[in-house]
Amino acid sequence: MIPLPDPRRLWNDGSALEVHGTVVTRLAPGPGPIVAGESEGGVVELAGGISETTLVRLDVPLGGAVGYWHPACGWDRHLAADWMTGWRAVGLADSAPLGCLYDTDGNAMLAFATDRVVATTLVKSGVGERTGRFGVWLAMDLEPGEVCRIRIAEPGRSHADALRELARWQAPGTPLPVPDAGRTATYSTWYSYHQEVSAAAIEAEAKLAAESGCGLLILDDGWQRGGTGGGYAGCGDWEPEPEKFPDFGAHVAAVHETGLKYMAWIAPLLLGQDSAAHEELAGFAPHARPEWRCHVLDPRHARVRKFVVDSCARLVEAYGLDGLKIDFLDSASAYASGTYAGAGNTSGSASEDWIPDVGTAMRVMLAALRDRLHAARGTDFLIEFRQPYTGPAILAYANVLRASDCPADAVANRVKSLDLALLAPDAAIHSDMLMWDASATPEQAARQLLAVLHTVPQISVRLADLPAEHRAMIAFWLGFWRERRDLLTGGRLRAGRPDELYPVVTAADAERAVAVLHSAQHLVPLDLHHLQVLGGLREAAVVNATATGRVVLDLPHQADVRLTVSDACGRPVRTENTRLALGPVSVAVPPSGLCLITPVA
């Protein structure tokens, strides 16, 4: 990819095409035609040139814009000047090429996606100070005859609806099917045990996890030989540590007997400095992570791709696992740009063994891994990836996507998992592992779980060490979640503005609605007009995920209803028949409690 110019100098270059109010301009270098694409509208096509980087800009007037969302935005959801932002490399190994500029109502003003979801694209965005417009720039190396399609969503829709539609359009091929185990509450060993795992400890926790309502266990880092000391110096050999797991196959069978499915963690691109594999593969891992005491294998090499596939498949085939948590694949992005972008093919290997683009190399590797695992276990197998390698294209190779690490940060877990739900609406979205202080009140502990009711929760506390009230809280809320799982994870989702960190999350279908209030300063919008015994809405659940003892409903109509209120542990507080008036209505609900609203019998 050639050096890119300053985007601020390119506002007036090239010819433009307007789509849904967005001006699409192909910029020098590499000028060429922009043509209308599919009959459905909103799609433009860019054809590749000869030895030139294709650079295109999308821009709209600022109007009432208040923020810009993209899959890797993190906490930075505000409007930045174009001179403040740098170029980001996105592709299969990291993020995805889509984004949304939104207004004060959370509605899309400029929402776009491209179908270039595997190979690397450079992306930049920002406000033009002199133009009063917001721009997004995309840079890509298109081969002669290669076409990139860009879809622009119609403005005025909620950002959630616009992004989910774009993500579905963007996803290539058929996604992996999700076994039922991928949509069951999960117990993870990471925050509860870190690397201090053992067969006896995990088998005891598995029994308690099954009793609490979990259906899946994930054994995280520490099971492998050399998995001690907090680093990754032992990664690469991928054999069980005999002192911790003297008979790993028997251990997996014992966990299966509790009724839980079993997944194990692996980071196959990490090559630890103390591993037996280091000497053999060090030449294929130039990027060092000294703080981790390891290097990163370069997947552009055929030898690396084979090593990764063999390592993962051997673990599954030998021990009867139901899935793999495949970690740190995003570390391959070190080879997407910068020092290593054009380096690595120095061994004289055949051209078909060397794939220059990291995203393309990852696709080949992950496709081979998927096929090998399915040959061993069929389609009833789980593969978990986590942010940021969670774009729509990844759904052909993984069926569980998890929010990245945010221990005990309920706000971050809510935001990260909702971002994932926008990006991959048809996958099983899992929260980051949930941890809390065992000396906290049940109400305080519950807020970790309530923050992620819209996903599949992963519990990661030592259940045996929890007080009885905490165990009761977990059982109650996992029971609530299990009864409404399809609604919470697959209903029509509303979450408010991204820059407000999704203060009220609602999921609804034709018969039920769940609203979770995360900020006491916000109203809970609820339409109970069709609440009736036969047909229409039959239940609305309002979850008070705040520390206050009250929620304020915003009703467009009055309604005669029955309120059934419970505390954080599911203990009944009161049941009453009442008339809820039009407009803001205050209802007493305990902190971390539940109010079920049903028709009056």
Side-chain angles (χ1 to χ4, degrees), residues 530-592:
H530 299 294
L531 192 69
Q532 51 190 351
V533 176
L534 298 175
L537 190 69
R538 57 184 175 85
E539 177 192 88
V542 178
V543 178
N544 181 15
T546 76
T548 66
R550 192 163 292 277
V551 299
V552 180
L553 309 180
D554 186 15
L555 304 176
H557 307 278
Q558 70 177 17
D560 294 317
V561 299
R562 171 169 293 172
L563 305 181
T564 305
V565 180
S566 306
D567 69 6
C569 296
R571 292 174 295 223
V573 173
R574 73 179 189 280
T575 298
E576 63 174 305
N577 293 345
T578 187
R579 171 167 290 182
L580 299 178
L582 168 67
V585 178
S586 179
V587 177
V589 181
S592 300

Side-chain angles (χ1 to χ4, degrees), residues 204-220:
E205 282 289 275
K207 294 178 182 177
L208 296 176
E211 292 171 3
S212 297
C214 293
L216 172 66
L217 182 141
I218 299 178
L219 177 66
D220 214 292

Side-chain angles (χ1 to χ4, degrees), residues 8 27 59-60 136 310 357 371 427 464 467 519 535:
R8 291 174 294 163
L27 305 165
D59 70 278
V60 294
V136 176
D310 288 346
D357 182 78
D371 295 344
S519 170

Side-chain angles (χ1 to χ4, degrees), residues 13 35 41 94 96 178 197 228 288-289 404 411 458 466 476 512 521 523 525-526 539 562 565-566 579 592:
D13 295 347
V35 298
D94 191 346
V178 182
V197 291
T228 58
R289 295 297 300 263
S404 61
V411 175
Q458 289 195 10
L466 291 180
F476 170 63
R512 296 183 296 175
Q521 286 71 47
L523 306 180
L526 211 56
E539 177 192 88
R562 171 169 293 172
V565 180
S566 306
R579 171 167 290 182
S592 300

Side-chain angles (χ1 to χ4, degrees), residues 186-199 201-206 209 216-224 245 248 251 255 260-265 325 384 402 433-435 458-463:
T186 299
Y187 181 85
S188 166
T189 67
W190 180 237
Y191 293 141
S192 50
Y193 285 89
H194 286 89
Q195 292 182 322
E196 303 304 315
V197 291
S198 69
I202 301 312
E203 288 166 25
E205 282 289 275
L216 172 66
L217 182 141
I218 299 178
L219 177 66
D220 214 292
D221 180 16
W223 63 267
Q224 74 280 11
F245 297 94
F248 195 63
H251 162 69
V255 171
L260 300 182
K261 298 290 187 178
Y262 201 121
M263 296 176 66
W265 173 91
K325 172 182 178 177
E384 181 196 278
R402 181 179 66 81
M433 295 77 70
L434 303 178
M435 62 165 286
Q458 289 195 10
I459 308 295
S460 191
V461 287
R462 295 198 183 192
L463 298 172

